[in-house]
Amino acid sequence: MDGVDFEKYLGHLFRSQGYKAEVTQASGDYGADLVLSKDGKRVVVQAKRYSKNVGLKAVQEVHGAIAHYRATAGWVVTNRDYTDQAYKLAKSNGVRLIGRDELVEMLLQMRERQP
C-alpha cells in the first residue's frame, strides 16, 4: 500500500466512525491529507505511512493546516510510532498523534462493526 492508498484507507476508516471524510489532493495539500467533519467539528489529518518513526515535521504541517482549513483540531496518523520531539511538539500544540497500536485497535473495531 502506498501513501495515497493509505490516505484513502484512512478515509474509509474514519467514515466507519461517522465522519465525513474528504481526501485532499495528493500534492499541494497545505499539510492535510484528509479533512474530517462530524458534529460541527472539522479535523485535518496528516497521514504518514512510513518505515520509520514520524518526526516533528508532520506535526508542524498539520498544525499549519488547522488555520488554512478552518479546522478545530489536527491529527497525525501513522502505521509506525513517533519521535520524542514529535510527541513534545504535539503536546504543546494540541495535536493528536495516532500511532500503530491505536490505529490497529481502530481497524479491529471497524471490522467488528461490519456485517
Side-chain angles (χ1 to χ4, degrees):
M1 179 183 301
D2 66 13
V4 174
D5 288 334
F6 185 60
E7 293 167 14
K8 291 177 183 175
Y9 192 71
L10 289 177
H12 178 70
L13 169 66
F14 290 120
R15 282 185 205 99
S16 79
Q17 296 178 347
Y19 288 93
K20 178 184 175 200
E22 173 190 341
V23 178
T24 64
Q25 61 189 22
S27 62
D29 58 22
Y30 300 99
D33 297 313
L34 295 133
V35 179
L36 309 178
S37 302
K38 183 178 177 181
D39 301 329
K41 294 185 180 185
R42 197 167 164 100
V43 179
V44 287
V45 178
Q46 180 66 238
K48 295 295 183 189
R49 187 181 179 285
Y50 277 8
S51 59
K52 58 182 180 164
N53 289 346
V54 176
L56 60 92
K57 184 173 184 252
V59 177
Q60 293 168 331
E61 290 172 349
V62 81
H63 186 263
I66 292 170
H68 180 78
Y69 288 95
R70 296 184 182 103
T72 53
W75 301 348
V76 182
V77 182
T78 185
N79 62 313
R80 300 292 295 184
D81 198 2
Y82 298 91
T83 64
D84 289 340
Q85 285 182 317
Y87 277 114
K88 288 176 186 173
L89 187 62
K91 184 177 181 180
S92 66
N93 283 276
V95 170
R96 179 179 176 193
L97 301 181
I98 299 173
R100 180 180 182 86
D101 292 342
E102 187 175 357
L103 180 59
V104 167
E105 187 60 38
M106 293 167 80
L107 293 169
L108 291 173
Q109 289 174 5
M110 179 180 71
R111 286 183 61 195
E112 288 174 5
R113 287 191 295 265
Q114 291 179 340

